[in-house]
Amino acid sequence: MAEARAFTTEEVASGIYVRRGVDEDVTTRNEDGIANIGFIVGRDAVAVMDPGGSLIDGQRLRAAIRRTTQLPIKYVVMSHVHPDHVFGAPAFQIDNPQFVGHAGLPRALALREDFYRKRLEEAVGKDRAGGVVAPTMLVQTSAELDLGGRVLALTAHGIAHTDCDLSVLDRNTGTLLAADLLFVERVPSLDGSLRGWLKELEALGSASARRAVPGHGPTSVDWPAGAKDLERYLGTLLRETKEAIAKGMDLEAAVGIVAQSERSRWALFDDYNGHNVTQAYKELEWEQ
Ligand SMILES: [Zn+2]
């Protein structure tokens, strides 16, 4: 096996550490270390968000935490159902934390778990893939996690990137851990609702944060300015898909033209834009 890339984190704000994921899909070599994941250190305890894309990714994150602090890992926040964010959760069972998720997460995991695990095991091997840990704390609308001198405000969002997106705001530093509600540089993937995502982004724009940690892309961007590219892309997807439907264009034709002006602006554009157009088309065709 190729030698693993060094696992490094960056302290994006006081006590908030983030590992930048690579802008790739899962491969044997990257071991699904493709999402931005990290941890937040309070006076008394540590919270993880997210636990990583595979068992091995989670174990490396846990080792990075232990190089930084010996405080107990009390919470593992799972931002949404996608495996690149949460399949590392088993690496933290040894700490007996609360595994925290959106109220919609258990259902979403139940529907997707087998499919995701199979695909991940094929890529990284059965013993390194990890898997699903059932959430032990569910968030219906909002919740707070107290790490000692540091309270994290959690928000369970309406359907957006997925139907189970959870964001975290660290009030001490004004840092929004947005997970996949925010993509920067890497083209977003739409697995929830286009209109819903734009709505949640607008609401997050007024969050009292000055920086945000995206689920993919740089470890930190200014907020809300850092959402501009994503809003432009999603806005273009909405406008041009509606136009295609209004013209009576079929799905295949729409996939060929919608949002092509965005092509040079995003990594992995050709891998995801067609899927996004398909999702948008299915959502919007009923509005006619
Ligand atoms: Zn995602």
Side-chain angles (χ1 to χ4, degrees), residues 23-204:
D23 290 336
E24 300 170 359
D25 276 321
V26 56
T27 63
T28 308
R29 185 175 146 71
N30 66 36
E31 297 181 306
D32 214 23
I34 63 173
N36 292 343
I37 60 173
F39 58 100
I40 303 153
V41 183
R43 188 190 60 224
D44 305 327
V46 179
V48 170
M49 176 160 170
D50 273 318
S54 60
L55 178 64
I56 198 81
D57 199 32
Q59 286 171 340
R60 287 184 185 134
L61 174 60
R62 190 171 181 280
I65 295 171
R66 282 294 164 253
R67 287 194 296 271
T68 308
T69 173
Q70 293 305 313
L71 288 171
I73 298 168
K74 234 175 126 178
Y75 302 100
V76 173
V77 180
M78 302 189 286
S79 67
H80 65 296
V81 67
H82 288 153
D84 54 325
H85 293 262
V86 299
F87 266 50
F92 295 92
Q93 279 175 312
I94 188 175
D95 299 293
N96 200 25
Q98 292 279 9
F99 288 93
V100 186
H102 187 292
L105 182 62
R107 179 178 172 272
L109 286 170
L111 289 170
R112 304 275 189 90
E113 175 180 4
D114 290 345
F115 170 74
Y116 286 154
R117 188 190 303 108
K118 211 171 155 216
R119 202 178 50 172
L120 190 57
E121 284 177 357
E122 277 166 18
V124 309
K126 218 178 167 104
D127 52 333
R128 299 165 85 81
V132 165
V133 173
T136 57
M137 175 181 165
L138 294 179
V139 183
Q140 301 282 348
T141 52
S142 62
E144 291 188 340
L145 305 180
D146 189 351
L147 303 181
R150 175 166 230 160
V151 175
L152 305 179
L154 276 53
T155 302
H157 294 271
I159 181 166
H161 168 63
T162 66
D163 62 5
C164 51
D165 300 310
L166 193 63
S167 69
V168 172
L169 175 67
D170 173 55
R171 294 202 186 106
N172 283 17
T173 62
T175 305
L176 172 69
L177 291 100
D180 278 5
L181 289 167
L182 178 61
F183 282 69
V184 179
E185 296 172 10
R186 177 189 165 124
V187 74
S189 69
L190 174 61
D191 193 17
S193 160
L194 179 53
R195 284 199 186 279
W197 197 344
L198 283 162
K199 190 176 140 200
E200 293 301 324
L201 271 179
E202 200 184 336
L204 278 173

